[in-house]
Amino acid sequence: MKVLVVGNGGREHALAWKLLQSQQIERVFCTPGNGGTATLERCENLPVAVDDFEGIAKLAQKENISLVIVGPEVPLSQGITDYLQAQGLMVFGPNKMGAQIEASKAWAKALMQEAGIPTAKAAVFTEIKAAKSYLKSQGVPIVVKADGLAAGKGVIVAQTIVEAEAALDAIFGGQFGSAGNFVVIEEFLLGQEVSVLALTDGLTIRPLLPAQDHKRIGEGDTGENTGGMGAYAPAPVATPGMMARLQTEVLEPAIAALRKKGIDYRGVLYAGLMVAPDGEFKVLEFNCRFGDPETQVILPLLDTPLEELILACVQQRLGDMPPIAWKNGASATVVAASGGYPGDYTNGKVITGLQESETADTKVFHAGTKLQGLEVVSDGGRVLNVTAIGEDFKQALDRAYAGIAKVQFEGMYYRRDIGYRVLS
Ligand SMILES: Nc1ncnc2c1ncn2[C@@H]1O[C@H](COP(=O)(O)OP(=O)(O)O)[C@@H](O)[C@H]1O
Ligand SMILES: [Mg+2]
């Protein structure tokens, strides 16, 4: 079987790598892919942009692709699934209606409220005056969210009213484009975040191992938000008891609520959760796709062939599948970023030590890289994810750090404290 993976991040490299471990997978194409998928055996990059639906459909037909897996949220929210399905292709990833669960925070909040899913108390505004007076009535800290996809930059956790008002001015002032038509103001929740990615065929929903990301650029979770600087799985903060409750209080009600709206959701439903010190949890957001970098730590532990699970979702027979099988132990990834990220940075830095850093247990997933002649060069803010498995967190993290120490490029930056919560 031939599979097409849409996207060019570490997530897509990990998906292609995992798929190719199965004898059932003849070939993987990536549109557009990165330096990692370019050098992966039986994998080929094709220079088609993720929003060129017609180009992707033509390519899929020409190459006899059986299954398209969509990585990023942007094409999903633009209706790539609807388009490709109309061309007769089998697609893993929700349709445009379903992708609203990520693309509109106001829509997602309403769905959670209708379904009785535990989430932060919130109000939605379309008008700045009402939003500001609500702010004052609530006090700080408070969280202000632009409505649409804002690449992780649309959420402001404000410690003062001045900061919260500035956030509203920026959002209503159009700084986030159409994401500024609505704003969600919500209660600040204290605790530890955890990501639970679940696979669904629209009827059945099954969680993958919980993972914990590290979103801030600086050690000790300080500084600006990023796309994610490292992760590990399985995150112990999501206890078995919590995972059981999550199934009946979050995942199943979410799918039922989507079905009630006539949405046939087949793909990943990713719940971003805040777990309070007392163990109570609430949903911060839903995403409509695999997480990045969570996928990079979840897939190395997956024992069930990935394509079997994905096909079961697409063909709506996930309920007939045996339980998902996992390897024992733990997995960790450390992100190497370009100097200056998440601010300005320079691409095109030659990367060395990639082969030396890999072992039987350590794998480098490329994110922002590209192949330039025979060299791999940086081509994005988050450049590489050095990922390792081990018997426990300490071994997985030690291996990931031993691997990243062998990689070099000018200006390379990485956090030295990934996994600090599970090591102490
Ligand atoms: N209600 C909240 N209380 C505390 N922190 C929050 C809250 N909502 C969001 N955050 C913080 O902001 C980050 C981004 O918010 P999120 O809703 O996940 O949006 P996005 O991922 O689209 O930027 C979260 O990972 C979390 O750290
Ligand atoms: Mg988030």
Side-chain angles (χ1 to χ4, degrees):
M1 166 170 136
K2 293 182 190 169
V3 181
L4 175 69
V5 175
V6 176
N8 65 348
R11 165 183 57 204
E12 287 77 18
H13 185 191
L15 285 165
W17 167 83
K18 189 69 188 181
L19 288 165
L20 284 163
Q21 287 178 355
S22 163
Q23 291 310 309
Q24 301 307 310
I25 305 296
E26 205 182 315
R27 209 165 175 77
V28 173
F29 294 91
C30 293
T31 53
N34 59 28
T37 53
T39 47
L40 194 59
E41 231 177 283
R42 289 185 288 136
C43 185
E44 192 179 326
N45 285 352
L46 293 161
V48 181
V50 299
D51 58 358
D52 179 2
F53 300 167
E54 200 186 324
I56 291 171
K58 281 198 178 129
L59 183 92
Q61 275 143 1
K62 175 170 160 259
E63 300 290 352
N64 250 317
I65 300 291
S66 315
L67 170 70
V68 181
I69 301 173
V70 184
E73 62 277 17
V74 170
L76 289 167
S77 72
Q78 293 169 341
I80 189 171
T81 299
D82 312 64
Y83 184 90
L84 297 179
Q85 279 174 344
Q87 309 295 311
L89 290 160
M90 207 154 68
V91 189
F92 179 78
N95 57 23
K96 188 172 178 169
M97 291 267 285
Q100 287 179 92
I101 203 160
E102 173 164 3
S104 168
K105 293 199 184 292
W107 192 89
K109 186 60 86 172
L111 182 113
M112 287 188 248
Q113 287 165 346
E114 282 158 36
I117 292 170
T119 185
K121 181 184 146 204
V124 178
F125 297 92
T126 53
E127 198 266 312
I128 193 159
K129 230 176 122 207
K132 285 193 175 172
S133 74
Y134 179 77
L135 262 188
K136 294 210 178 88
S137 73
Q138 297 301 303
V140 285
I142 196 146
V143 184
V144 178
K145 300 185 172 187
D147 186 55
L149 295 176
K153 297 198 166 75
V155 172
I156 297 97
V157 178
Q159 301 299 335
T160 62
I161 289 285
V162 173
E163 230 182 303
E165 287 190 331
L168 288 175
D169 289 334
I171 295 170
F172 283 114
Q175 210 161 306
F176 298 93
S178 60
N181 296 342
F182 292 89
V183 61
V184 179
I185 301 181
E186 73 178 35
E187 162 199 12
F188 172 80
L189 301 174
L190 191 73
Q192 232 190 94
E193 289 178 60
V194 64
S195 308
V196 177
L197 283 57
L199 300 177
T200 180
D201 64 0
L203 299 173
T204 300
I205 184 159
R206 295 210 184 152
L208 302 176
L209 293 180
Q212 190 167 60
D213 185 8
H214 299 63
K215 290 174 204 295
R216 304 298 192 92
I217 189 71
E219 278 147 29
D221 297 323
T222 55
E224 281 185 85
N225 257 331
T226 70
M229 295 303 294
Y232 59 80
V237 63
T239 59
M242 173 178 151
M243 291 300 285
R245 283 184 55 200
L246 191 73
Q247 179 70 20
T248 55
E249 294 174 29
V250 174
L251 301 178
E252 286 168 5
I255 285 302
L258 288 163
R259 254 199 331 269
K260 212 170 120 194
K261 291 184 187 297
I263 297 171
D264 184 3
Y265 191 108
R266 303 185 195 191
V268 174
L269 183 67
Y270 161 150
L273 306 161
M274 186 70 89
V275 186
D278 66 2
E280 277 307 306
F281 62 86
K282 286 184 176 160
V283 177
L284 290 178
E285 65 162 349
F286 284 116
N287 291 325
C288 66
R289 35 84 195 172
F290 283 106
D292 187 333
E294 291 92 337
T295 304
Q296 290 89 307
V297 289
I298 293 169
L299 293 183
L301 295 173
L302 177 66
D303 246 355
T304 305
L306 177 62
E307 81 282 3
E308 285 181 17
L309 291 168
I310 287 183
L311 283 172
C313 288
V314 175
Q315 298 169 340
Q316 205 161 65
R317 47 179 181 74
L318 187 61
D320 301 333
M321 290 287 287
I324 301 175
W326 298 100
K327 294 186 205 320
N328 291 325
S331 168
T333 192
V334 181
V335 172
S338 294
Y341 173 80
D344 294 338
Y345 55 85
T346 316
N347 285 334
K349 306 292 182 196
V350 175
I351 305 166
T352 59
L354 288 169
Q355 264 154 24
E356 294 82 342
S357 66
E358 291 196 339
T359 68
D361 309 298
T362 308
K363 172 78 199 156
V364 181
F365 294 122
H366 292 219
T369 75
K370 68 176 181 188
L371 203 57
Q372 196 171 280
L374 292 175
E375 288 176 327
V376 177
V377 299
S378 66
D379 194 38
R382 290 188 299 158
V383 178
L384 301 162
N385 314 137
V386 183
T387 309
I389 54 172
E391 280 167 27
D392 52 25
F393 286 117
K394 179 161 182 353
Q395 193 174 49
L397 285 158
D398 283 348
R399 285 173 172 165
Y401 275 111
I404 206 166
K406 296 187 179 133
V407 177
Q408 270 187 315
F409 57 91
E410 194 191 314
M412 170 173 149
Y413 166 81
Y414 60 91
R415 274 179 62 167
R416 316 275 161 158
D417 68 339
I418 300 303
Y420 70 90
R421 283 198 180 87
V422 284
L423 289 180
S424 62

